[in-house]
Amino acid sequence: MEKTIKIGPNIRFIRNLKGFKQETVAQELGISQAEYSLIENSNIVDDQILIQIAQIFNVTPDIIKEFNENQAFYSIENKIDNSEIHENAHGIHQVFSPIEKVIELYERLLSSEREKIEILKNQNNK
């Protein structure tokens, strides 16, 4: 049985890992947030749009197409430009903690949600 690749959900997950909001990516693409949301909910995405999104996220289109969690942790952030790689007799050992990246992501998401709450509170007070 052939596995169906769902590109839209892959884009959503990578966007969240990178800490981008839908509005930001939509603005970079020159489309509305609603149009961008449709992309994230689609199984198939036009190759030109996929290339543009990959450039925004600083990844290759193949990373989006062939996305999996392990690859994401080792490919995102400019192909691991924030880590050290050491080679020894036992192969390559990478000093990189996926847990730290997940914690960083959740902290950014939490901060974003707090900002939204403050904006809503200010709107209700008017």
Side-chain angles (χ1 to χ4, degrees), residues 11-86:
I11 292 170
R12 179 183 310 112
F13 195 89
I14 293 171
R15 176 182 57 77
N16 285 326
L17 282 175
K18 297 290 279 185
F20 289 110
K21 293 183 179 181
Q22 279 189 343
E23 295 85 4
T24 303
V25 180
Q27 185 177 17
E28 289 289 321
L29 292 172
I31 61 176
S32 70
Q33 184 272 328
E35 289 173 304
Y36 178 76
S37 180
L38 290 174
I39 292 171
E40 286 192 355
N41 289 304
S42 299
N43 291 340
I44 300 169
V45 175
D46 179 73
D47 285 339
Q48 284 301 104
I49 292 174
L50 183 63
I51 289 169
Q52 290 176 321
I53 292 171
Q55 288 173 343
I56 293 168
F57 294 160
N58 200 23
V59 299
T60 66
D62 287 338
I63 287 174
I64 295 172
K65 287 180 183 176
E66 300 166 12
F67 176 78
N68 68 53
E69 289 182 35
N70 291 331
Q71 186 180 27
F73 287 119
Y74 290 98
S75 298
I76 296 200
E77 293 300 328
N78 201 18
K79 313 228 181 359
I80 321 169
D81 67 346
N82 63 342
S83 66
E84 299 176 31
I85 298 176
H86 302 282

Side-chain angles (χ1 to χ4, degrees), residues 99-110:
I99 299 299
E100 289 176 12
K101 284 292 179 189
V102 171
I103 291 170
E104 181 182 323
L105 168 66
Y106 282 115
E107 287 174 349
R108 278 193 248 154
L109 291 173
L110 182 60

Side-chain angles (χ1 to χ4, degrees), residues 109-120:
L109 291 173
L110 182 60
S111 174
S112 173
E113 292 303 314
R114 286 181 179 146
E115 289 175 17
K116 289 177 189 176
I117 290 170
E118 286 301 314
I119 290 169
L120 290 172

